[in-house]
Amino acid sequence: MEAALADLAGPAPADFAARVLQRVGIPRNRYDMYLHLEAPAGGLYVAYGPQAVTGAALGKTVPGPEAFEEAHLARTGRSAIRTTRPLPGLRTALRTGRAKGLRIDLPELTEAERAVLDAVRTIPRGQLRPLAWVAREAAVSGTAAVTEALEVNPVPLLIPCHRVTFDESGPCDLRYGPIVGAVLRGAEGIDDALVGLSRMGTVFLGSDTTRIYCHPTCAHARRITPPHQVPFRSARAAREAGYRACKSCRPIAA
């Protein structure tokens, strides 16, 4: 009889705990839901409250769901309960790489950190921006404030810090390292040749037909054919050559 009853046992549904909490009337603002979604770098664990994302972790950076739950509790003070139902708009944001309109709630961060990460969220999919650009967009003093915010980014991928570079060198993968960063950039089709241009002294690319200069990964810059590409080491050099700044990528002014 015991063996027969044991055979009837099976794993609980993924959202069983959430159903129990709702049934017994635990207020929804006392805990967060989370799930694992398909994404580069081992997928993405995403936690969310009633209306906004509250945290995330790439699968390659945590050993499993229990570790994500523990880290989320330590950071927010709220338990993360597994579910299979994502926050509306979450799957679309991951599929398109455009999470700018997705609400993200991070009250534990400072005002400066939130400003930096909000600026990072505006970097388009498949493009890169340097630290100085982020600092200007966030209205913070110096790039140190930017690197500090990138290091504590609680929502990787949805806040795409893999799209940030050092001002005159390669990608600034402070949050999860260059290997994971390269995977995320590769999934967005970012050409390593463009990433490496700054290492060779090219900070901006101009077009000798439009007389406009851009960040090298700007959608407009990528349409410049090689015979018409004009490299510049600085915005000043571009301006002195008679070039105008791109209104889309808004290259830094100095």
Side-chain angles (χ1 to χ4, degrees):
M1 177 68 75
E2 290 179 357
L5 290 173
D7 290 339
L8 295 176
D15 57 352
F16 178 74
R19 294 179 186 177
V20 171
L21 291 175
Q22 292 169 2
R23 181 67 63 87
V24 299
I26 302 297
R28 181 63 183 82
N29 60 2
R30 297 279 299 276
Y31 60 93
D32 290 337
M33 313 292 288
Y34 85 97
L35 72 166
H36 184 266
L37 295 170
E38 290 296 322
L44 188 72
Y45 293 98
V46 184
Y48 63 90
Q51 298 179 332
V53 170
T54 56
L58 290 159
K60 284 190 176 295
T61 65
V62 292
E66 293 80 9
F68 175 73
E69 293 171 10
E70 292 173 4
H72 187 78
L73 177 62
R75 182 175 61 83
T76 67
R78 295 187 304 277
S79 297
I81 308 300
R82 194 157 191 176
T83 184
T84 57
R85 301 177 182 179
L87 186 71
L90 179 56
R91 289 189 188 277
T92 300
L94 276 178
R95 185 179 69 253
T96 63
R98 298 179 179 90
K100 187 168 55 175
L102 190 67
R103 185 174 176 184
I104 298 177
D105 186 19
L106 303 172
E108 73 277 9
L109 299 185
T110 66
E111 184 177 346
E113 289 168 342
R114 285 196 295 271
V116 167
L117 297 181
D118 283 344
V120 171
R121 293 181 70 190
T122 69
I123 304 174
R125 174 183 170 86
Q127 298 189 32
L128 302 172
R129 296 290 185 272
L131 290 171
W133 183 94
V134 177
R136 183 196 65 188
E137 296 292 303
V140 296
S141 178
T143 58
V146 178
T147 57
E148 290 169 4
L150 295 180
E151 288 177 334
V152 300
N153 176 10
V155 192
L157 191 56
L158 294 174
I159 297 178
C161 50
H162 59 281
R163 298 175 190 165
V164 180
T165 69
F166 290 106
D167 286 337
E168 295 184 3
S169 60
C172 182
D173 293 316
L174 299 176
R175 184 66 180 87
Y176 29 58
I179 295 176
V180 171
V183 170
L184 299 179
R185 286 186 292 275
E188 296 185 10
I190 297 177
D191 189 344
D192 282 345
L194 292 176
V195 176
L197 281 176
S198 58
R199 295 191 181 100
M200 297 181 289
T202 297
V203 178
F204 303 110
L205 276 181
S207 166
D208 64 7
T209 57
T210 65
R211 308 294 289 182
I212 293 174
Y213 70 97
C214 308
H215 291 287
T217 54
C218 174
H220 298 293
R222 286 187 288 185
R223 288 197 289 267
I224 306 172
T225 57
H228 297 285
Q229 291 178 348
V230 182
F232 293 107
R233 290 179 176 270
S234 68
R236 176 178 296 177
R239 291 196 305 271
E240 289 176 349
Y243 283 68
R244 295 177 290 113
C246 172
K247 292 182 179 180
S248 176
C249 69
R250 304 183 305 282
I252 55 176

PDB file of all heavy atoms in Angstrom, residues 56-75:
ATOM      1  N   ALA A  56      16.691  40.353 -11.510  1.00  0.00           N
ATOM      2  CA  ALA A  56      16.950  39.349 -12.539  1.00  0.00           C
ATOM      3  C   ALA A  56      18.371  38.821 -12.380  1.00  0.00           C
ATOM      4  O   ALA A  56      19.212  39.448 -11.713  1.00  0.00           O
ATOM      5  CB  ALA A  56      16.760  39.934 -13.945  1.00  0.00           C
ATOM      6  N   ALA A  57      18.626  37.679 -12.983  1.00  0.00           N
ATOM      7  CA  ALA A  57      19.972  37.106 -12.987  1.00  0.00           C
ATOM      8  C   ALA A  57      20.113  36.187 -14.183  1.00  0.00           C
ATOM      9  O   ALA A  57      19.200  35.408 -14.488  1.00  0.00           O
ATOM     10  CB  ALA A  57      20.263  36.340 -11.696  1.00  0.00           C
ATOM     11  N   LEU A  58      21.227  36.272 -14.861  1.00  0.00           N
ATOM     12  CA  LEU A  58      21.507  35.375 -15.977  1.00  0.00           C
ATOM     13  C   LEU A  58      21.816  33.976 -15.445  1.00  0.00           C
ATOM     14  O   LEU A  58      22.468  33.829 -14.405  1.00  0.00           O
ATOM     15  CB  LEU A  58      22.682  35.901 -16.788  1.00  0.00           C
ATOM     16  CG  LEU A  58      22.390  37.173 -17.596  1.00  0.00           C
ATOM     17  CD1 LEU A  58      23.681  37.889 -17.942  1.00  0.00           C
ATOM     18  CD2 LEU A  58      21.612  36.825 -18.865  1.00  0.00           C
ATOM     19  N   GLY A  59      21.357  32.966 -16.177  1.00  0.00           N
ATOM     20  CA  GLY A  59      21.551  31.596 -15.732  1.00  0.00           C
ATOM     21  C   GLY A  59      23.006  31.222 -15.529  1.00  0.00           C
ATOM     22  O   GLY A  59      23.322  30.414 -14.651  1.00  0.00           O
ATOM     23  N   LYS A  60      23.920  31.809 -16.317  1.00  0.00           N
ATOM     24  CA  LYS A  60      25.337  31.480 -16.195  1.00  0.00           C
ATOM     25  C   LYS A  60      25.991  32.141 -14.979  1.00  0.00           C
ATOM     26  O   LYS A  60      27.142  31.855 -14.670  1.00  0.00           O
ATOM     27  CB  LYS A  60      26.086  31.885 -17.469  1.00  0.00           C
ATOM     28  CG  LYS A  60      25.849  30.939 -18.647  1.00  0.00           C
ATOM     29  CD  LYS A  60      26.775  31.246 -19.787  1.00  0.00           C
ATOM     30  CE  LYS A  60      26.610  30.256 -20.925  1.00  0.00           C
ATOM     31  NZ  LYS A  60      26.995  28.901 -20.549  1.00  0.00           N
ATOM     32  N   THR A  61      25.279  33.023 -14.297  1.00  0.00           N
ATOM     33  CA  THR A  61      25.872  33.729 -13.158  1.00  0.00           C
ATOM     34  C   THR A  61      25.333  33.257 -11.818  1.00  0.00           C
ATOM     35  O   THR A  61      25.808  33.709 -10.777  1.00  0.00           O
ATOM     36  CB  THR A  61      25.634  35.247 -13.284  1.00  0.00           C
ATOM     37  OG1 THR A  61      24.228  35.521 -13.207  1.00  0.00           O
ATOM     38  CG2 THR A  61      26.184  35.776 -14.598  1.00  0.00           C
ATOM     39  N   VAL A  62      24.343  32.363 -11.813  1.00  0.00           N
ATOM     40  CA  VAL A  62      23.827  31.783 -10.568  1.00  0.00           C
ATOM     41  C   VAL A  62      23.749  30.268 -10.741  1.00  0.00           C
ATOM     42  O   VAL A  62      23.450  29.784 -11.828  1.00  0.00           O
ATOM     43  CB  VAL A  62      22.439  32.340 -10.193  1.00  0.00           C
ATOM     44  CG1 VAL A  62      22.532  33.799  -9.800  1.00  0.00           C
ATOM     45  CG2 VAL A  62      21.447  32.176 -11.328  1.00  0.00           C
ATOM     46  N   PRO A  63      24.028  29.503  -9.678  1.00  0.00           N
ATOM     47  CA  PRO A  63      24.043  28.046  -9.816  1.00  0.00           C
ATOM     48  C   PRO A  63      22.672  27.387  -9.915  1.00  0.00           C
ATOM     49  O   PRO A  63      22.583  26.196 -10.160  1.00  0.00           O
ATOM     50  CB  PRO A  63      24.781  27.589  -8.549  1.00  0.00           C
ATOM     51  CG  PRO A  63      24.592  28.689  -7.576  1.00  0.00           C
ATOM     52  CD  PRO A  63      24.525  29.948  -8.374  1.00  0.00           C
ATOM     53  N   GLY A  64      21.590  28.127  -9.711  1.00  0.00           N
ATOM     54  CA  GLY A  64      20.270  27.520  -9.812  1.00  0.00           C
ATOM     55  C   GLY A  64      19.201  28.397  -9.198  1.00  0.00           C
ATOM     56  O   GLY A  64      19.483  29.488  -8.669  1.00  0.00           O
ATOM     57  N   PRO A  65      17.939  27.965  -9.272  1.00  0.00           N
ATOM     58  CA  PRO A  65      16.836  28.791  -8.765  1.00  0.00           C
ATOM     59  C   PRO A  65      16.930  29.090  -7.271  1.00  0.00           C
ATOM     60  O   PRO A  65      16.563  30.186  -6.840  1.00  0.00           O
ATOM     61  CB  PRO A  65      15.593  27.961  -9.096  1.00  0.00           C
ATOM     62  CG  PRO A  65      16.088  26.565  -9.312  1.00  0.00           C
ATOM     63  CD  PRO A  65      17.460  26.712  -9.877  1.00  0.00           C
ATOM     64  N   GLU A  66      17.416  28.131  -6.479  1.00  0.00           N
ATOM     65  CA  GLU A  66      17.518  28.381  -5.038  1.00  0.00           C
ATOM     66  C   GLU A  66      18.481  29.530  -4.763  1.00  0.00           C
ATOM     67  O   GLU A  66      18.232  30.374  -3.886  1.00  0.00           O
ATOM     68  CB  GLU A  66      17.976  27.124  -4.308  1.00  0.00           C
ATOM     69  CG  GLU A  66      16.979  25.979  -4.323  1.00  0.00           C
ATOM     70  CD  GLU A  66      17.005  25.193  -5.630  1.00  0.00           C
ATOM     71  OE1 GLU A  66      17.931  25.446  -6.467  1.00  0.00           O
ATOM     72  OE2 GLU A  66      16.124  24.341  -5.828  1.00  0.00           O
ATOM     73  N   ALA A  67      19.577  29.569  -5.503  1.00  0.00           N
ATOM     74  CA  ALA A  67      20.544  30.656  -5.310  1.00  0.00           C
ATOM     75  C   ALA A  67      19.928  31.990  -5.711  1.00  0.00           C
ATOM     76  O   ALA A  67      20.172  33.018  -5.059  1.00  0.00           O
ATOM     77  CB  ALA A  67      21.802  30.383  -6.138  1.00  0.00           C
ATOM     78  N   PHE A  68      19.128  31.994  -6.771  1.00  0.00           N
ATOM     79  CA  PHE A  68      18.462  33.234  -7.169  1.00  0.00           C
ATOM     80  C   PHE A  68      17.493  33.690  -6.088  1.00  0.00           C
ATOM     81  O   PHE A  68      17.428  34.869  -5.745  1.00  0.00           O
ATOM     82  CB  PHE A  68      17.732  33.054  -8.497  1.00  0.00           C
ATOM     83  CG  PHE A  68      16.936  34.263  -8.911  1.00  0.00           C
ATOM     84  CD1 PHE A  68      17.578  35.405  -9.375  1.00  0.00           C
ATOM     85  CD2 PHE A  68      15.554  34.265  -8.819  1.00  0.00           C
ATOM     86  CE1 PHE A  68      16.851  36.532  -9.733  1.00  0.00           C
ATOM     87  CE2 PHE A  68      14.813  35.381  -9.176  1.00  0.00           C
ATOM     88  CZ  PHE A  68      15.467  36.517  -9.639  1.00  0.00           C
ATOM     89  N   GLU A  69      16.734  32.740  -5.534  1.00  0.00           N
ATOM     90  CA  GLU A  69      15.773  33.084  -4.483  1.00  0.00           C
ATOM     91  C   GLU A  69      16.484  33.691  -3.274  1.00  0.00           C
ATOM     92  O   GLU A  69      16.030  34.692  -2.708  1.00  0.00           O
ATOM     93  CB  GLU A  69      15.001  31.827  -4.054  1.00  0.00           C
ATOM     94  CG  GLU A  69      14.083  31.263  -5.129  1.00  0.00           C
ATOM     95  CD  GLU A  69      13.521  29.909  -4.752  1.00  0.00           C
ATOM     96  OE1 GLU A  69      13.687  29.509  -3.582  1.00  0.00           O
ATOM     97  OE2 GLU A  69      12.934  29.246  -5.624  1.00  0.00           O
ATOM     98  N   GLU A  70      17.596  33.085  -2.881  1.00  0.00           N
ATOM     99  CA  GLU A  70      18.336  33.581  -1.717  1.00  0.00           C
ATOM    100  C   GLU A  70      18.894  34.978  -1.976  1.00  0.00           C
ATOM    101  O   GLU A  70      18.825  35.861  -1.106  1.00  0.00           O
ATOM    102  CB  GLU A  70      19.469  32.617  -1.380  1.00  0.00           C
ATOM    103  CG  GLU A  70      18.996  31.266  -0.854  1.00  0.00           C
ATOM    104  CD  GLU A  70      20.136  30.284  -0.688  1.00  0.00           C
ATOM    105  OE1 GLU A  70      21.298  30.694  -0.909  1.00  0.00           O
ATOM    106  OE2 GLU A  70      19.871  29.120  -0.335  1.00  0.00           O
ATOM    107  N   ALA A  71      19.450  35.192  -3.167  1.00  0.00           N
ATOM    108  CA  ALA A  71      20.024  36.502  -3.492  1.00  0.00           C
ATOM    109  C   ALA A  71      18.932  37.569  -3.553  1.00  0.00           C
ATOM    110  O   ALA A  71      19.132  38.706  -3.093  1.00  0.00           O
ATOM    111  CB  ALA A  71      20.768  36.431  -4.824  1.00  0.00           C
ATOM    112  N   HIS A  72      17.777  37.211  -4.083  1.00  0.00           N
ATOM    113  CA  HIS A  72      16.677  38.167  -4.177  1.00  0.00           C
ATOM    114  C   HIS A  72      16.171  38.546  -2.785  1.00  0.00           C
ATOM    115  O   HIS A  72      15.922  39.729  -2.505  1.00  0.00           O
ATOM    116  CB  HIS A  72      15.541  37.583  -5.008  1.00  0.00           C
ATOM    117  CG  HIS A  72      14.441  38.549  -5.291  1.00  0.00           C
ATOM    118  ND1 HIS A  72      14.542  39.525  -6.262  1.00  0.00           N
ATOM    119  CD2 HIS A  72      13.215  38.718  -4.724  1.00  0.00           C
ATOM    120  CE1 HIS A  72      13.431  40.245  -6.284  1.00  0.00           C
ATOM    121  NE2 HIS A  72      12.615  39.777  -5.356  1.00  0.00           N
ATOM    122  N   LEU A  73      16.053  37.574  -1.906  1.00  0.00           N
ATOM    123  CA  LEU A  73      15.608  37.838  -0.538  1.00  0.00           C
ATOM    124  C   LEU A  73      16.604  38.742   0.185  1.00  0.00           C
ATOM    125  O   LEU A  73      16.215  39.696   0.880  1.00  0.00           O
ATOM    126  CB  LEU A  73      15.435  36.521   0.220  1.00  0.00           C
ATOM    127  CG  LEU A  73      15.032  36.640   1.699  1.00  0.00           C
ATOM    128  CD1 LEU A  73      13.677  37.320   1.837  1.00  0.00           C
ATOM    129  CD2 LEU A  73      15.014  35.250   2.343  1.00  0.00           C
ATOM    130  N   ALA A  74      17.894  38.462   0.004  1.00  0.00           N
ATOM    131  CA  ALA A  74      18.920  39.258   0.672  1.00  0.00           C
ATOM    132  C   ALA A  74      18.911  40.704   0.180  1.00  0.00           C
ATOM    133  O   ALA A  74      19.136  41.635   0.955  1.00  0.00           O
ATOM    134  CB  ALA A  74      20.290  38.631   0.449  1.00  0.00           C
ATOM    135  N   ARG A  75      18.636  40.903  -1.105  1.00  0.00           N
ATOM    136  CA  ARG A  75      18.683  42.255  -1.671  1.00  0.00           C
ATOM    137  C   ARG A  75      17.423  43.048  -1.396  1.00  0.00           C
ATOM    138  O   ARG A  75      17.472  44.243  -1.121  1.00  0.00           O
ATOM    139  CB  ARG A  75      18.932  42.176  -3.188  1.00  0.00           C
ATOM    140  CG  ARG A  75      19.057  43.536  -3.875  1.00  0.00           C
ATOM    141  CD  ARG A  75      19.419  43.396  -5.332  1.00  0.00           C
ATOM    142  NE  ARG A  75      18.413  42.661  -6.062  1.00  0.00           N
ATOM    143  CZ  ARG A  75      17.288  43.214  -6.542  1.00  0.00           C
ATOM    144  NH1 ARG A  75      17.032  44.487  -6.355  1.00  0.00           N
ATOM    145  NH2 ARG A  75      16.418  42.482  -7.209  1.00  0.00           N
TER     146      ARG A  75
END
